[in-house]
Amino acid sequence: MTLSAMPGLPVRKARKARGPVRLVLERLGFLIAAMFGVVTLSFLLVSVTPGDPARLIAGPMASNSQVEAISQELGLDKPIVERYVDYMGGLLRGDLGESYYSKRPVTTEIFEKLPATLELIILAVLFAAVVGIAFGAIAAYFRGRAPDWISRLFTGVFQAIPDFFLGLLLIYVVFFLLGWAPAPAGQIGFTESTPPKVTGFIPIDALIAGDPALAGSALQHLVLPVLTLGLVYAAYFAKTARATLGRALHSQQVFFARAMGLPERTVLRYALVESRTTIVTYAGVIFASLLGGEAIVERVFAWDGLGAWALQGILRLDVPVVQGMVLIAGAITLITYTLLDIVVGLLDPRIKHA
Amino acid sequence: MHDDVFAPRRGVQMRRMLRQHPGAALGVLFILVLLLASLFAPLPYDPMGIDGGATLRSPGGEHWFGTDGAGGDIFSRVIYAARVDLSLALAGTVLSLVVGVLLGLAASSKGKGSERLVRGLDAFQAFPLLILALALVSLSGNKLYMVVVAIALINVPRFMRLLRSEVLSLRESRFIEAATATGASPRRIIFRHLLPNVWGIVLVQTSLTVANAIVVIASLSFLGIGVSPPTPSWGSMIRDGAGNMSSGEWWIAGFAGLAVVLCVLAFNQLADAIGDRTARTYR
């Protein structure tokens, strides 16, 4: 039993002081190890689960020999170890395999879909941070009074609504009843065509192509999906901001600032600085969890992004697509966490690095 | 707060907690009524039945919650769906609880190994877990038990992390030291001293897990994974009504979504109430 170390609590080894270079190197080392783990696990989970992609692709009417032929073509008849070695070998060359359906390289598809998802996530995190911190700050400042109650009511409700259902509600209210937002049919309207690709971000590309009307339309189409994700995650933000700011408002700096007779605005600023690292960390975590977490919302709004692409891959048992998604999302998440660790660690000298 | 260690009997505790948290009391009541109704109540219409003559009726006297595109009665379907949705959520929660607590206890040492394990958990949670859960259930051919496994996959790491951090901080406390000094065996310390003290936060996490599981199940069946038609589930009803939202028939997805929101709210409120109590007793 692992608790054996408990009695008598051995003398703790003094922690070696660690310089920033060592911290960065250690985190990068862990990043590589974790990526290897992520790749292996995703390969295993997706390959070992029962369910036969070849049969699904062949359709219900196919004979056994047809299924076998497809299985051979996709390399599914090879033993799992060989497939794993093939996959890892391909990975080292930057090759994630081909989609079973479109027959195009998974990497190409990922880079095509990534901008649409990134613009959604980044805007949603920004919205969530601004609204959430504002609500959380108000709740913390007026703790136990009416504004706190109202803010907590909103957070409670928005935390309980599944994001895809909130998206549908917004479609009903803002599009059907009010007619303020365009139809939920993707990044641009039915009759409009995508601008020539430069950055991959449609509003920016439209501006580059000299078509402000199209850029405007693209921005309008962003409103509802961003609002959907933003509101749900603003609730999480508010909860965290309330807790951290509440603690910060009772910190010694704040008491001291008040005792000095500093204006309330300055005091609040001190409290915000005090809780800065927690909130930055939280933004990073939310950014990471949105990647993949927003897939269903993309589907609701017919958004042609990474999430919807991965969902389609899942529903069609398109194994390379699913693996590609898990890999790219895992990679971006791990990189985000590592950056956060390093940034927060370097910014805040009080944090010890375990 | 030593007087509180000898807490009143469970039933008294429970009643006191519910009185102080009317939201939680309402929530528990709602869940119980919903569960009992789904199991025993005579429904006005067959939840699996369709009626080609009464499609897309708006809510009214004949169909309280209206009907869907195939003429199914929304009220009967929403109530009936609680059977499969709530029981899957509870099953997933129990699995997460048992596996998570056991693994969490095992990981609660101070050695290098346990720290690495936590790092490994970090990496695992870096996965887009919802995507992974969807992929698991879909690739396994939509087996219902895989839904339960998927819920555990998402929630076991949370239990482990929680239990580990709590046990690690409890181990520093006086009464564990005292127990160790009197020569209590590790097993006795775990079961008599550690577990009873982490029970409160484990219960909080359990309640939150049920809420999370309900959302996961709804997400799965919204995508047509997991619970398959004609068995009604909230997620698949939201899916049925998704397209109707932009043409104004809000009630098809609306009531099913409302059921999900109310259940999640109920379990979140319950978690808050238990959390408050725990905080008062142990800290």
Side-chain angles (χ1 to χ4, degrees), chain B residues 90-134:
Chain B
L90 291 176
T93 303
V94 169
L95 186 67
S96 315
L97 172 73
V98 172
V99 177
V101 167
L102 288 179
L103 288 181
L105 274 181
S108 305
S109 74
K110 277 211 164 139
K112 271 251 150 144
S114 117
E115 237 166 59
R116 280 207 194 107
L117 187 88
V118 172
R119 285 258 145 209
L121 274 185
D122 278 348
F124 183 70
Q125 283 187 302
F127 272 120
L129 284 179
L130 185 68
I131 294 278
L132 206 64
L134 291 169

Side-chain angles (χ1 to χ4, degrees), chain A residues 45-46 48-52 317, chain B residues 133-147 225:
Chain A
L45 279 172
V46 175
V48 173
T49 37
D52 189 353
L317 302 190
Chain B
L134 291 169
L136 262 188
V137 181
S138 169
L139 290 175
S140 70
N142 280 333
K143 298 280 186 310
L144 276 190
Y145 67 83
M146 284 309 281
V147 176
I225 304 172

